[in-house]
Amino acid sequence: MSDVHAAAASYAVDALSSAERAEFEAHLDGCASCHVEVHEFAETLAELAPLVASAPPVGLRNSVLTAVADLRQADLQQADRQQADQQRAARLAERAGRAGAQGSDDVPPRRALASVTELRPLEPHEVAPLEEHPSVVPEMPWLGVTAALSEDLGRRSRWRERVLGALVAASLILAVALGGWVYVSRQQIQTLTADAQRQTGLLTAWDARVYYVEVNVDRSTSPVSFVVSTARNEALFVGRDLPPLPANSIYQLWTVDGTASTSAGVVNGSGEVRQMLTGSLREVDKLVISIEPGPMESKTPTGPQFPVSIS
Amino acid sequence: MTGGPAEHARRTADLVDLVQRMARGDADAFADLYDETSASVYGIALSVVRSPRLAETLTQEVYADAWRTAARYDPGEVTVLAWLISTAHRHIVERVRTMSRESAPDRFSGLNGNHRFDRANPAGGSRADAEQARRAWCLLSPTHREAVTLAYFGGYSQTEVARMLGQPLGTVRASIRDGMVALRAATGVGL
């Protein structure tokens, strides 16, 4: 076998100098066996990727998605759906251009949000659990670096679940305008649920809008938001540290059409709450969070109501 | 994740679908591709550059490039994973070779210890995939493993590898080749 054929493996692992590579590529064009071999080596190396696989920091996902929203593809296939998809990409790019142009002192009562472009990457301290864990940075023991690989598989597996959870949390995006502030939730979600996927879909919907209102109970105040996509016919309630209620009382969500209110579910949980509203948004002109006597959900709103008008 | 050939084939086909949708501008498909593959791409970047920050930057560049070039991906030639990982590795290596010791110090600091080539790091991916990779890796002779590690996971040119190991270039090139041929057989590629 001549020298130039023998370079296929070095070429596949990118170990050739630029001059050597140019020489091999000139040969590669006309050599079917080298062509096959290079592809097979590429497949082989892809199979080896798990040896060094390492979950990236959760914030990277948003950075990557935001960056490509601003890109046009180098070339597009002639597909029937091409035009619609191009329009979609253009909308994303447009929103990318608008990102950062928001001021915090002039917050309109409602505004479009929920494009990935309005998210900020997570700061390092927000992803601390990832960076603290030794297995996130590959140890590369074969390069003589400290080998702390004695962790048992069970521990790895649990960690993997946590990493997955962090990725899911990032995918939920959870950038919600609360009183004009965009915040990113760090809540760890353990499994990628259908609900989480719905929330992600809603938050990234092209027509998603955020409406917010302040919930006041006694002297305690908490801003809450509704993220609404008319196109998807879905809404998400987002609250954080809602004011405490008397025993048995509950927060309940409503969709309102004129004077008719339909329950959209009872708010569950404390701390950060994100909850899809049940029911349709067709003909709905208001979303309401109310305080109800509980413990069962009310048929119609009876207590204090905090409404937002949607359009 | 149970792994196994059927699961592997299904995943391979799913990735092709994602890239073809990306080629039509589907950002959701792109997000899915990222979720499926980013641990591999980031892991390779990290193994070559050895700096999390730099690895993040390179990973971002790799995905931006994948988005731009998705329409050029030909499923008849290679799998999506091979396409993505080979372009990623090429990009990472090209970038790192233009960097100095000052701009990528971690890359150089890791190579001062005594080299141990006996273990692989089975993190990420399905356990079955990781187990298969680890088995293939363990079948390599120490000489071949050393050459492939430095060239591929270290991102060094064969000339640099020869210098580091104190071996003639022809010997290193043969080690890389023999190592890759053995790994190809052990992973079942091309059968």
Side-chain angles (χ1 to χ4, degrees), chain A residues 21 40 86 152 162 224 274 310:
Chain A
R21 195 172 81 207
E40 286 178 352
Q86 274 178 325
D152 61 86
R162 288 183 62 198
V224 301
R274 295 172 307 281
I310 64 174

Side-chain angles (χ1 to χ4, degrees), chain A:
Chain A
M1 186 170 277
S2 76
D3 260 12
V4 71
H5 287 294
S10 293
Y11 176 81
V13 298
D14 299 309
L16 297 181
S17 69
S18 42
E20 291 165 335
R21 195 172 81 207
E23 185 190 359
F24 181 76
E25 283 177 344
H27 161 78
L28 185 60
D29 278 343
C31 179
S33 69
C34 280
H35 203 74
V36 169
E37 198 156 53
V38 164
H39 285 162
E40 286 178 352
F41 288 152
E43 300 291 352
T44 302
L45 293 165
E47 296 284 332
L48 296 181
L51 293 174
V52 293
S54 175
V58 290
L60 182 60
R61 188 179 195 274
N62 286 338
S63 305
V64 166
L65 298 186
T66 304
V68 303
D70 216 7
L71 292 172
R72 294 301 203 127
Q73 275 137 303
D75 52 69
L76 289 164
Q77 290 177 338
Q78 298 299 315
D80 290 340
R81 280 179 287 174
Q82 177 173 324
Q83 194 180 355
D85 291 333
Q86 274 178 325
Q87 284 167 354
R88 183 156 188 261
R91 276 197 303 271
L92 283 171
E94 188 198 340
R95 275 186 263 169
R98 283 207 307 268
Q102 314 157 4
S104 60
D105 37 24
D106 180 23
V107 182
R110 60 168 191 260
R111 63 175 192 206
L113 170 90
S115 78
V116 290
T117 57
E118 290 183 354
L119 307 176
R120 63 177 176 79
L122 292 173
E123 297 299 326
H125 69 272
E126 293 176 309
V127 292
L130 283 175
E131 303 200 337
E132 280 162 6
H133 195 279
S135 76
V136 169
V137 178
E139 296 285 343
M140 298 294 287
W142 53 76
L143 287 179
V145 183
T146 320
L149 287 172
S150 52
E151 301 150 302
D152 61 86
L153 270 175
R155 182 173 163 198
R156 280 201 178 280
S157 175
R158 282 195 300 280
W159 172 243
R160 204 179 129 61
E161 283 166 17
R162 288 183 62 198
V163 169
L164 183 63
L167 285 171
V168 173
S171 75
L172 285 178
I173 302 170
L174 303 177
V176 173
L178 287 177
W181 292 89
V182 173
Y183 83 90
V184 178
S185 168
R186 284 176 281 142
Q187 179 163 350
Q188 302 269 313
I189 310 292
Q190 290 305 317
T191 51
L192 182 57
T193 63
D195 198 43
Q197 288 176 327
R198 273 180 78 205
Q199 292 184 19
T200 305
L202 171 60
L203 287 165
T204 55
W206 65 272
D207 69 336
R209 284 169 176 268
V210 174
Y211 305 85
Y212 71 88
V213 62
E214 286 191 343
V215 173
N216 300 294
V217 178
D218 294 328
R219 295 218 182 109
S220 183
T221 297
S222 176
V224 301
S225 303
F226 293 91
V227 184
V228 178
S229 165
T230 310
R232 293 175 65 96
N233 193 27
E234 284 178 331
L236 175 70
F237 169 78
V238 182
R240 188 179 200 182
D241 298 325
L242 289 167
L245 294 176
N248 282 340
S249 292
I250 56 172
Y251 286 107
Q252 190 168 348
L253 304 170
W254 306 87
T255 54
V256 180
D257 170 19
T259 56
S261 297
T262 307
S263 175
V266 171
V267 174
N268 291 309
S270 55
E272 289 176 1
V273 178
R274 295 172 307 281
Q275 188 172 326
M276 298 297 290
L277 274 64
T278 60
S280 166
L281 298 180
R282 305 262 182 258
E283 312 297 329
V284 165
D285 49 37
K286 275 196 295 188
L287 299 176
V288 173
I289 175 168
S290 72
I291 297 169
E292 300 300 327
M296 305 303 290
E297 87 178 52
S298 301
K299 298 260 193 281
T300 56
T302 55
Q305 299 181 30
F306 308 95
V308 296
S309 296
I310 64 174
S311 52

